[in-house]
Amino acid sequence: MRVALFITCFNDTLFPETGRATVGVLERLGHEVEFPMEQTCCGQMHFNTGYQREAIPLVRRFVEVFEPYDAVVAPSGSCVGMVRDLYPMAADLAEDADLARRVADLAPRVFELSEFLVKKTGVTDVGAYYPHRVTYHPTCHSLRMLKVGDAPLELLRNVRGMELVELGEAEQCCGFGGTFAVKNAETSAAMLGDKIRRVLDTESEVCTAGDNSCLMHIGGGLRRLQAGINTVHLAEILASTEER
């Protein structure tokens, strides 16, 4: 299967190790992974903040770059949710029937990492080893837009050496929400406080998730409390082996 990595702006800029881990997991499973250098932002920030027409050129570029591939995988439920759920809306807004057809063809081939592994390829054990006590936060876009369900948990349960601890009220939003955290800072901080208390209750060493945006938000709260709990992207846990 010819697979393309869609790295997303957040990971490319702040968390390149997550992209490397994603490639490592996919290649370990025998996939040929390509990184199209022409890729750019998916346009989610523009679209969600009201600049929907300004996002259309980015939608066109995404389609042009990724439509040759059998599958497109990203370590982000947020950006994949943009492509799968909102690109059809953007194509309608553009009143471009050809773009709408190409989006309809490509969008079902764009996957968040855990759903690609579990739901597309049927893999639940990637041969990972991670000797830590870990809790998992399901991010809103992966949970509610992509409906990845228990796919991340199925993968984590098969990580050797790891103790997986259930997070209380796990489906509650952490309060990040991209520009929501900027526009509604007090509400965002209150939601983060609730999430932090739940993470502390687990007495975990690590909090993981499928989106670094949420992990950055949660990690900031944990660091301010000097809680001694790290945040690590799901891909990096899955990429870990006894040799590393």
Side-chain angles (χ1 to χ4, degrees), residues 175-211:
F176 181 64
T179 54
F180 173 84
V182 177
K183 293 179 177 178
N184 305 277
E186 292 185 1
T187 303
S188 172
M191 296 169 73
L192 175 63
D194 290 341
K195 180 62 66 175
I196 292 296
R197 280 189 286 277
R198 291 298 184 181
V199 173
L200 293 174
D201 287 344
T202 67
E203 299 183 347
S204 296
E205 300 170 73
V206 172
C207 177
T208 190
D211 277 273

Side-chain angles (χ1 to χ4, degrees), residues 229-242:
I229 302 175
N230 295 319
T231 50
V232 179
H233 193 281
L234 174 67
E236 293 168 53
I237 291 179
L238 298 180
S240 296
T241 64
E242 293 185 68

Side-chain angles (χ1 to χ4, degrees), residues 11 39 54 66 74 95 101 114 125 140 148:
N11 290 314
Q39 62 182 281
E54 285 77 1
F66 287 108
E95 299 180 340
R101 178 189 60 75
S114 71
D125 186 344
C140 291
V148 301

